[in-house]
């Protein structure tokens, strides 16, 4: 009887350990130096957890840029950080990374409800993300004049929605495999938009307002994306360029080593790049150049994380040169 009891206890302990493993793994910081800080943002739409990566050895007088990273469906803050490896770049280039996290009670698949504008849920979630940004800016040494936002899939669409509502708060926005704002307004219309069957409404902006306060856009999209049609990447850049009065230049083919080739097209107005389209022909629905053996990550693609930071850093330098005030 004693042996049976011991075996039952061991089996129960193993079962409990297996049940707790996802929670334990989720709490572990992704591989990198620096701090992995937990936080919660609260507002009228509820609450959302977030994680903040802070590089090591931040000096007292130092003010660092902030990159906001919005995960896609089926991901959370940790898995997105691990697959993109953005924290490694942040440690080297010295910036902070904020990872807001969607609540599974708000969306069972962990998707941001970027499309649900009719009910107002999309705007409520956008407001919570802004609360997280404000909280991080208040508690940590963030340079408010150097904030950028990037996202994958549903996170890309939410990133664009954030910028349409608060363009003056961001210096760059990057959409990776997402759908442009003004393309869907409900869950049903979002399905049509994912397959490239819906048109995109023009942005509520003019060339003058775009030049004054809207950040440039970079779009990265795979040519064989089976989830979000590549048409959406082209539509996102076009609607941004149309609002800015920008025209496309010639596409240039780029390939680094054995990674997938990409075609890069800049849309410019009076010499300034307002939007950039990066088309990766052999990429599916995955973070380009992401870590191996992670869902929604393709290590063979060009390194999207490096492209995201390089694009944002150019806008930060331009902001410093123009002497724009903190917002």
């Amino acid at each position: 009887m004693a042996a049976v009891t011991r075996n039952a206890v061991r089996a129960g302990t193993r079962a409990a350990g297996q049940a707790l493993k996802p929670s334990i793994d989720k709490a572990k910081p992704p591989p990198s130096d620096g701090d992995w800080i937990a936080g919660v943002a609260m507002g009228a739409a509820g609450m959302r957890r977030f994680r903040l990566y802070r590089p090591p050895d931040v000096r007292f007088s130092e003010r660092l840029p902030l990159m906001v990273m919005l995960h896609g469906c089926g991901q959370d803050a940790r898995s997105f950080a691990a697959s993109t490896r953005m924290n490694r770049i942040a440690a080297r280039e010295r910036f902070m990374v904020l990872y807001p996290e969607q609540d599974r009670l708000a969306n069972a698949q962990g998707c941001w409800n970027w499309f649900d504008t009719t009910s107002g849920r999309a705007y409520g979630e956008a407001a919570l993300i802004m609360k997280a940004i404000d909280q991080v800016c208040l508690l940590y040494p963030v340079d408010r004049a150097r904030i950028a936002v990037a996202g994958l899939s549903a996170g890309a669409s939410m990133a664009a929605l954030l910028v349409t509502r608060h363009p003056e708060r961001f210096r760059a926005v990057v959409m990776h495999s997402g759908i442009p704002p003004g393309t869907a307004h409900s869950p049903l219309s979002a399905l049509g938009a994912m397959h490239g069957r819906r048109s995109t409404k023009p942005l509520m902006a003019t060339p003058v307002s775009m030049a004054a306060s809207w950040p440039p856009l970079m779009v990265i999209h795979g040519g064989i994306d089976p989830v979000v049609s590549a048409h959406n990447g082209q539509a996102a850049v076009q609607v941004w360029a149309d609002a800015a009065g920008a025209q496309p230049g010639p596409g240039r083919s780029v390939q680094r080593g054995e990674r997938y080739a990409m075609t890069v097209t800049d849309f410019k107005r009076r010499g300034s790049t307002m939007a950039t389209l990066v088309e990766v022909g052999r990429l599916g629905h995955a973070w380009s150049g992401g870590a191996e053996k992670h869902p929604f990550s393709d290590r063979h693609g060009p390194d999207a994380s490096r492209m995201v930071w390089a694009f944002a850093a150019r806008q930060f330098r331009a902001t410093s040169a123009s002497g724009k005030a903190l917002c």
Side-chain angles (χ1 to χ4, degrees):
M1 180 63 72
V4 172
T5 302
R6 284 195 298 272
N7 289 338
V9 170
R10 291 193 190 101
T13 301
R14 284 197 298 271
Q18 290 170 357
L20 288 171
K21 189 175 186 300
S23 297
I24 294 170
D25 287 347
K26 186 175 178 180
K28 288 169 57 180
S32 63
D33 295 329
D35 300 315
W36 184 243
I37 303 166
V40 175
M42 302 183 68
M47 60 168 281
R48 292 296 185 275
R49 295 181 176 85
F50 64 81
R51 291 282 181 167
L52 176 69
Y53 172 75
R54 180 174 59 187
D57 305 320
V58 177
R59 297 185 297 276
F60 178 76
S61 60
E62 201 171 9
R63 310 297 289 183
L64 301 180
L66 178 68
M67 179 70 69
V68 182
M69 294 284 286
L70 300 176
H71 64 76
C73 300
Q75 297 180 309
D76 55 28
R78 186 189 185 282
S79 63
F80 195 40
S83 66
T84 62
R85 295 179 288 198
M86 186 61 79
N87 293 355
R88 295 185 182 181
I89 298 175
R92 183 176 65 248
E93 302 293 342
R94 301 204 59 75
F95 60 93
M96 296 191 191
V97 191
L98 171 63
Y99 298 92
E101 189 170 275
Q102 175 64 304
D103 195 310
R104 292 301 174 113
L105 294 177
N107 187 292
Q109 286 74 45
C111 310
W112 296 102
N113 294 303
W114 59 272
F115 50 83
D116 209 347
T117 55
T118 299
S119 72
R121 281 205 302 171
Y123 303 136
E125 290 182 4
L128 284 171
I129 294 170
M130 293 305 300
K131 288 278 189 183
I133 294 171
D134 290 339
Q135 185 172 320
V136 167
C137 287
L138 181 65
L139 297 177
Y140 301 96
V142 172
D143 182 349
R144 292 175 183 245
R146 294 187 293 167
I147 300 177
V149 60
L152 172 66
S153 191
S157 301
M158 180 56 81
L161 180 65
L162 272 184
V163 171
T164 63
R165 295 180 70 78
H166 306 279
E168 74 288 348
R169 295 294 302 275
F170 301 97
R171 294 294 172 257
V173 54
V174 180
M175 297 177 64
H176 194 317
S177 310
I179 296 168
T183 310
H185 56 84
S186 65
L188 185 61
S189 61
L191 289 175
M194 289 170 64
H195 292 97
R197 300 194 188 114
R198 289 185 61 86
S199 59
T200 300
K201 294 180 181 179
L203 294 177
M204 298 297 290
T206 65
V208 173
S209 65
M210 290 285 282
S213 61
W214 282 62
L217 167 72
M218 172 182 274
V219 170
I220 303 170
H221 214 112
I224 56 172
D225 190 330
V227 178
V228 177
S229 167
H231 171 78
N232 286 290
Q234 297 157 5
V237 167
Q238 193 63 58
V239 73
W240 218 267
D242 288 346
Q247 297 297 321
R252 57 189 188 277
S253 182
V254 180
Q255 183 167 17
R256 295 186 174 93
E258 297 182 356
R259 293 182 182 268
Y260 301 149
M262 57 183 171
T263 300
V264 182
T265 306
D266 292 321
F267 293 71
K268 295 188 176 184
R269 176 178 182 265
R270 297 179 180 176
S272 296
T273 300
M274 308 304 294
T276 297
L277 175 61
V278 179
E279 299 171 288
V280 187
R282 295 170 60 192
L283 181 69
H285 194 68
W287 188 266
S288 185
E292 191 175 12
K293 297 180 180 178
H294 283 265
F296 313 110
S297 179
D298 187 342
R299 68 183 181 88
H300 299 291
D303 193 334
S305 295
R306 291 176 65 89
M307 285 192 283
V308 167
W309 169 247
F311 182 73
R314 284 197 296 273
Q315 315 317 319
F316 295 157
R317 289 193 293 270
T319 298
S320 299
S322 66
K324 286 185 179 180
L326 299 180
C327 56

